[in-house]
Each structure stands twice: as C-alpha cells, then as structure tokens.
Amino acid sequence: MRGWITLWLAAGLLGCDEPLKLPPLLRDPGDRVGSSWFLCDSSIRQKPEDAVHHKGIVARLHHLFPPGSSGTSLQDELVRQKFAIRECSTDPAIRIATYRWKERWGGQGLIAFKVDQDDKIIWTTGFNSYGGP
C-alpha cells in the first residue's frame, strides 16, 4: 500500500513540471521591471515604460503590434486568445485586456494599450501576476 501512495505522489509531482498553458501573448514573459501600475489613473500620469511590465511580453507586443499599427487588429487578437477587454474609465483610448487562469494557484495576465483617434496604437505594455486571480 505504501508503494502505491509513493507512486501516486510522485506522479502528481511530475505534473507540476508541465508549463502553464497561457495564451501566446503571455508566454515567456521575461524579466519583470517597473513599479506599480497606474496607467488608468489619469491623476498620476504614469508612463507605460515606468509601469510594472514584463520585458518579454512588451517585446512580443512591439514586434507583432508596433506603434502605428491597428488597435482593432490587436483587440481582435486579444479576443481570439480569450482576454476580457475593457476601457479605462478615465481615458477610453486606453484598453485593458485581462486573462485569468486557475492552474497552479491561479493568476492573471494583463495587456494594456492606447490608441489615437484614428485607431492607431500609441503604446502597448503587459505583465503576468501569479498566485491568485
């Protein structure tokens, strides 16, 4: 009986090595830099490059959806990858896309972007937070 318990525990631990199944835009996030996240708070006027972000996510966003590209294209891709999207109440030109997961204690990925009046991307940023949705 003891051998079966050990085997069962070992099999369970092996499953922990399986990577999270995150949407492509959130995979391999890279180093986390920046401080706090107040991009929707217009009273603070934080710059995206100073807000908390993961370098790998930002590099991927800049590569796939560089400034000047279509905000609608980015939003369509985020919807396709199952993100929930909303506008900032203080600045509707800023969109916040959130992806939540429950595996491995849960977490969320956040991608934010700002568009101009012609729906062209001004900036993009994003990060993952682990340990609870």
Side-chain angles (χ1 to χ4, degrees):
M1 181 70 167
R2 191 174 190 176
W4 284 106
I5 292 172
T6 304
L7 182 60
W8 179 76
L9 287 172
L13 290 175
L14 287 175
C16 290
D17 288 340
E18 185 177 317
L20 280 172
K21 292 181 174 87
L22 297 177
L25 289 173
L26 297 178
R27 292 180 192 154
D28 301 319
D31 293 333
R32 185 174 172 147
V33 297
S35 63
S36 302
W37 196 88
F38 298 110
L39 293 172
C40 272
D41 187 339
S42 60
S43 67
I44 295 178
R45 299 182 190 269
Q46 186 177 38
K47 296 177 184 175
E49 58 271 14
D50 296 332
V52 65
H53 62 278
H54 278 103
K55 290 181 177 182
I57 293 173
V58 172
R60 188 173 305 107
L61 288 167
H62 288 180
H63 175 73
L64 297 171
F65 302 98
S69 61
S70 166
T72 301
S73 294
L74 173 53
Q75 189 160 314
D76 289 348
E77 181 60 22
L78 291 164
V79 168
R80 190 184 73 70
Q81 292 186 30
K82 310 270 192 261
F83 283 78
I85 302 173
R86 66 177 175 84
E87 295 177 347
C88 286
S89 59
T90 59
D91 186 349
I94 298 175
R95 313 280 163 65
I96 309 301
T98 307
Y99 180 89
R100 298 180 194 279
W101 64 87
K102 293 182 181 179
E103 297 82 15
R104 301 236 188 112
W105 303 288
Q108 72 176 358
L110 187 138
I111 291 178
F113 63 102
K114 185 171 184 171
V115 295
D116 64 16
Q117 66 276 8
D118 296 322
D119 190 46
K120 301 297 181 196
I121 294 173
I122 298 171
W123 54 258
T124 56
T125 191
F127 71 95
N128 289 340
S129 62
Y130 305 93

